[in-house]
Coordinates of all heavy atoms in Angstrom, one line a residue:
S1 N 100.2 114.3 102.5 CA 99.3 115.6 102.3 C 99.0 115.8 100.7 O 99.0 114.9 100.0 CB 100.0 116.8 102.8 OG 99.1 117.9 103.0
N2 N 98.6 117.1 100.5 CA 98.3 117.4 99.0 C 98.5 118.8 98.8 O 99.0 119.5 99.7 CB 96.8 117.1 98.7 CG 95.9 117.9 99.7 OD1 95.9 119.0 99.7 ND2 95.0 117.1 100.3
G3 N 98.6 119.3 97.5 CA 99.0 120.6 97.2 C 98.3 121.7 98.0 O 98.9 122.8 98.2
A4 N 97.1 121.5 98.3 CA 96.3 122.5 99.0 C 96.9 122.9 100.4 O 96.6 123.9 100.9 CB 94.8 122.0 99.2
T5 N 97.6 121.9 101.0 CA 98.2 122.1 102.3 C 99.7 122.2 102.2 O 100.5 122.0 103.1 CB 97.8 121.0 103.3 OG1 98.2 119.7 102.8 CG2 96.3 121.0 103.4
S6 N 100.2 122.7 101.1 CA 101.7 122.7 100.9 C 102.4 123.6 102.0 O 103.6 123.4 102.1 CB 102.0 123.2 99.5 OG 101.6 124.6 99.4
T7 N 101.7 124.6 102.6 CA 102.5 125.4 103.5 C 102.4 124.8 104.9 O 103.0 125.4 105.9 CB 101.9 126.8 103.6 OG1 100.5 126.7 103.9 CG2 101.9 127.5 102.2
Y8 N 101.6 123.6 105.1 CA 101.6 123.1 106.5 C 102.9 122.4 106.9 O 103.5 121.7 106.1 CB 100.5 122.1 106.5 CG 99.1 122.7 106.5 CD1 98.8 123.8 105.9 CD2 98.0 121.9 106.8 CE1 97.5 124.4 105.9 CE2 96.6 122.3 106.8 CZ 96.4 123.6 106.2 OH 95.2 124.1 106.2
V9 N 103.2 122.5 108.1 CA 104.4 121.8 108.7 C 103.9 120.4 109.3 O 103.0 120.4 110.1 CB 105.1 122.6 109.8 CG1 106.1 121.8 110.5 CG2 105.6 123.9 109.1
C10 N 104.5 119.3 108.9 CA 104.0 118.0 109.2 C 105.1 117.2 110.0 O 104.8 116.5 110.9 CB 103.6 117.3 108.0 SG 102.9 115.6 108.3
R11 N 106.3 117.3 109.5 CA 107.5 116.5 110.1 C 107.3 114.9 110.1 O 107.3 114.3 111.2 CB 107.7 117.0 111.5 CG 108.3 118.5 111.4 CD 108.6 119.1 112.8 NE 109.0 120.5 112.6 CZ 109.1 121.4 113.5 NH1 108.8 121.0 114.7 NH2 109.6 122.5 113.3
T12 N 107.0 114.4 109.0 CA 106.9 112.9 108.8 C 108.3 112.4 108.5 O 109.0 113.1 107.7 CB 106.0 112.5 107.7 OG1 104.7 113.1 108.0 CG2 105.9 111.1 107.5
V13 N 108.7 111.3 109.1 CA 109.9 110.6 108.7 C 109.5 109.3 108.0 O 108.8 108.4 108.6 CB 110.8 110.3 110.0 CG1 112.0 109.6 109.6 CG2 111.1 111.6 110.8
V14 N 110.0 109.1 106.8 CA 109.8 107.9 106.1 C 111.2 107.2 106.0 O 112.1 107.7 105.5 CB 109.3 108.1 104.7 CG1 109.1 106.8 103.9 CG2 108.0 108.9 104.7
E15 N 111.3 106.0 106.7 CA 112.6 105.4 106.8 C 112.6 103.9 106.8 O 111.5 103.2 107.1 CB 113.4 105.7 108.1 CG 112.6 105.3 109.4 CD 113.3 105.7 110.7 OE1 114.2 106.5 110.6 OE2 112.8 105.3 111.8
H16 N 113.6 103.2 106.3 CA 113.8 101.8 106.3 C 112.7 101.1 105.5 O 112.2 100.1 105.8 CB 113.9 101.2 107.7 CG 115.0 101.8 108.4 ND1 116.3 101.5 108.2 CD2 115.0 102.6 109.6 CE1 117.1 102.2 109.1 NE2 116.3 102.8 109.9
C17 N 112.3 101.8 104.4 CA 111.2 101.2 103.5 C 111.9 100.7 102.2 O 112.8 101.2 101.8 CB 110.2 102.3 103.1 SG 109.2 102.8 104.5
Y18 N 111.3 99.7 101.6 CA 111.8 99.0 100.5 C 110.8 99.0 99.3 O 109.7 98.6 99.5 CB 112.0 97.5 100.8 CG 112.4 96.6 99.7 CD1 113.9 96.4 99.6 CD2 111.6 95.8 99.0 CE1 114.3 95.5 98.5 CE2 112.0 95.0 98.0 CZ 113.4 94.8 97.8 OH 113.9 94.0 96.8
F19 N 111.2 99.7 98.2 CA 110.3 99.9 97.1 C 110.8 99.1 95.9 O 111.9 99.3 95.5 CB 110.1 101.3 96.8 CG 109.7 102.2 97.9 CD1 110.6 102.9 98.7 CD2 108.3 102.3 98.2 CE1 110.1 103.6 99.8 CE2 107.9 103.1 99.2 CZ 108.7 103.7 100.1
E20 N 110.0 98.2 95.4 CA 110.4 97.4 94.2 C 109.3 97.2 93.2 O 108.1 96.8 93.6 CB 110.9 96.1 94.7 CG 111.4 95.2 93.5 CD 112.1 93.9 94.0 OE1 112.0 93.6 95.2 OE2 112.7 93.2 93.1
N21 N 109.5 97.7 92.0 CA 108.5 97.4 90.9 C 107.2 98.1 91.3 O 106.1 97.6 91.0 CB 108.2 96.0 90.7 CG 107.6 95.8 89.3 OD1 107.7 96.5 88.4 ND2 106.9 94.7 89.2
T22 N 107.2 99.3 91.8 CA 106.0 100.1 92.1 C 105.7 101.2 91.1 O 104.7 101.8 91.1 CB 106.1 100.8 93.5 OG1 107.0 101.7 93.6 CG2 106.4 99.7 94.7
G23 N 106.7 101.5 90.3 CA 106.6 102.6 89.4 C 105.5 102.7 88.4 O 104.8 103.7 88.2
P24 N 105.0 101.5 87.9 CA 103.7 101.6 87.0 C 102.5 101.9 87.7 O 101.6 102.4 87.1 CB 103.7 100.0 86.6 CG 105.1 99.5 86.6 CD 105.6 100.2 87.9
G25 N 102.4 101.9 89.0 CA 101.3 102.4 89.7 C 101.2 103.9 89.6 O 100.2 104.5 89.5
D26 N 102.4 104.5 90.1 CA 102.4 105.9 89.9 C 103.9 106.3 90.0 O 104.6 105.7 90.9 CB 101.6 106.6 91.1 CG 101.6 108.2 91.0 OD1 102.7 108.8 90.7 OD2 100.5 108.7 91.1
S27 N 104.4 107.0 89.2 CA 105.9 107.3 89.1 C 106.4 107.9 90.4 O 107.6 107.9 90.7 CB 106.3 108.2 87.9 OG 105.7 109.4 88.0
E28 N 105.6 108.5 91.2 CA 105.9 109.0 92.5 C 105.8 108.0 93.6 O 104.8 107.7 94.1 CB 105.1 110.3 92.9 CG 105.3 111.3 91.8 CD 104.5 112.6 92.2 OE1 103.8 112.5 93.3 OE2 104.4 113.6 91.5
V29 N 107.0 107.3 93.9 CA 106.9 106.3 95.0 C 106.7 107.0 96.3 O 105.8 106.4 97.1 CB 108.3 105.6 95.0 CG1 108.5 104.6 96.2 CG2 108.6 104.9 93.7
I30 N 107.3 108.0 96.6 CA 107.0 108.9 97.7 C 106.7 110.2 97.2 O 107.5 110.8 96.5 CB 108.1 108.9 98.7 CG1 108.5 107.5 99.3 CG2 107.7 109.9 99.9 CD1 109.8 107.6 100.1
S31 N 105.5 110.8 97.5 CA 105.2 112.1 97.0 C 105.0 113.1 98.2 O 104.1 112.9 99.1 CB 103.8 112.1 96.3 OG 103.5 113.3 95.7
V32 N 105.9 114.0 98.4 CA 105.9 115.0 99.5 C 105.2 116.2 99.1 O 105.7 116.9 98.0 CB 107.4 115.2 100.0 CG1 107.4 116.2 101.1 CG2 108.0 113.9 100.4

């Protein structure tokens, strides 16, 4: 989502993901 919908209930599950050397793209690997 984004800041404009910060009060919305979404219930996403992010699981079993592997993040390596992604930081230079954006320091927020996962942005909730």
Side-chain angles (χ1 to χ4, degrees):
S1 193
N2 57 55
T5 57
S6 62
T7 62
Y8 289 20
V9 172
C10 183
R11 293 182 184 162
T12 298
V13 178
V14 180
E15 62 180 8
H16 302 295
C17 294
Y18 176 92
F19 302 94
E20 181 172 9
N21 198 29
T22 69
D26 189 306
S27 62
E28 298 180 6
V29 174
I30 303 175
S31 185
V32 175

